[in-house]
Amino acid sequence: MRRLLPVTDLTTSTPGPEASADREWTLDELAEAYAYPGDGRPWLRANMVTTLDGAAQHDGRSQGISCAADMRIFGTLRGLADVVLVGAETARREGYRPARAREAFAARRAAAGQGPAPVIAVVSAGLDLDFSLPLFVSPLVPTLVLTGAGAPADRVRAAREAGVEVVVAGDGAGIEPARAVAELVARGHTRMLTEGGPRLLGQFVAAGVLDELCLTVSPVLTAGSAQRIASGPGVKVPERFSLTSLLEEAGFLFSRYGKNGKNGKN
């Protein structure tokens, strides 16, 4: 059963009552439910999945705790984004490839002034990346690499020789989250999506630059020592996010949380 769960003080549009039927949500319904702000302001959202006991992956990958509906939402979020940020380790582990153009989002993206597919932006301090992979040599839209001024010069040179645009977004070896966001916005990428991994999301959380979390709760228990969805230095005072929408299918919960009650419709 696919349904919209009641949420007190729901402040964002979600799939309508017809979506409660036992059928797939249409991409238009999902695109409306997960729409970015309409006023063009920069917006950084994260999309992550977690088990009931807090694991962000199983056997090193997120696929084992996901489901078909989760992947439809994953595709929808990509279809709406200008840029997808991913940490280098996650890009390697999950076998990232270039984002593809999807006919279902073509008209929506054209109307929003977006390119045919989102830019993939790989975040890496050491640039330990294989620049001969399709992600870098044959993307529909050029892949970016975000790093710091202290990144190894030979790896920066290798990236640029492969035709990859290297964006310096920090004075040290790695990025500074607020500066990375500013660099992307300066390139016209205001609809930002990060898919992790946990260390990258932890950086955004610690820096206070995350506007929204789209979190899938998978109805499984894994135990073990898998990472949480965010890791790294903690914050002095936990920042409060508010639930703005909640969908359910087959025991999976698909939630949206906005910082200080913000959501993509305000």
Side-chain angles (χ1 to χ4, degrees), residues 10-218:
L10 189 66
T11 57
T12 185
S13 297
T14 52
E18 69 278 7
S20 296
D22 191 10
R23 63 169 177 82
E24 287 186 342
W25 296 301
T26 69
L27 290 181
D28 282 340
E29 286 171 336
L30 289 175
E32 180 61 25
Y34 287 94
Y36 279 88
D39 57 9
R41 70 183 185 268
W43 191 265
L44 174 61
R45 67 167 36 140
N47 182 34
M48 301 293 285
V49 59
T50 180
T51 64
L52 294 176
D53 52 349
Q57 55 201 219
H58 180 62
D59 287 338
R61 300 185 65 185
S62 60
Q63 183 177 358
I65 60 174
S66 183
C67 67
D70 185 42
M71 295 310 298
R72 282 176 63 80
I73 292 174
F74 175 92
T76 297
L77 295 180
R78 279 197 166 198
L80 297 174
D82 296 329
V83 61
V84 177
L85 294 104
V86 60
E89 182 179 348
T90 296
R92 289 189 294 266
R93 186 178 62 244
E94 302 279 357
Y96 264 59
R97 298 183 63 83
R100 60 188 178 90
R102 299 182 61 187
E103 183 61 32
F105 289 96
R108 188 180 293 270
R109 291 186 68 86
Q114 295 173 296
V119 173
I120 302 295
V122 182
V123 179
S124 177
L127 274 66
D128 182 17
L129 299 162
D130 183 352
F131 296 115
S132 68
L133 292 175
L135 178 61
F136 300 106
V137 300
S138 59
L140 181 62
V141 290
T143 296
L144 301 177
V145 170
L146 275 63
T147 191
D154 62 325
R155 299 306 300 157
V156 173
R157 183 168 56 253
R160 289 174 172 158
E161 288 175 351
V164 178
E165 181 180 356
V166 178
V167 179
V168 176
D171 293 330
I175 67 160
E176 297 163 15
R179 186 167 164 185
V181 168
E183 290 287 350
L184 292 172
V185 171
R187 288 163 172 77
H189 305 316
T190 58
R191 304 172 187 90
M192 295 168 281
L193 169 67
T194 179
E195 296 170 351
R199 285 189 295 180
L200 180 59
L201 180 56
Q203 286 182 272
F204 289 137
V205 171
V209 298
L210 188 71
D211 296 300
E212 178 184 336
L213 173 64
C214 299
L215 180 65
T216 296
V217 179
S218 176

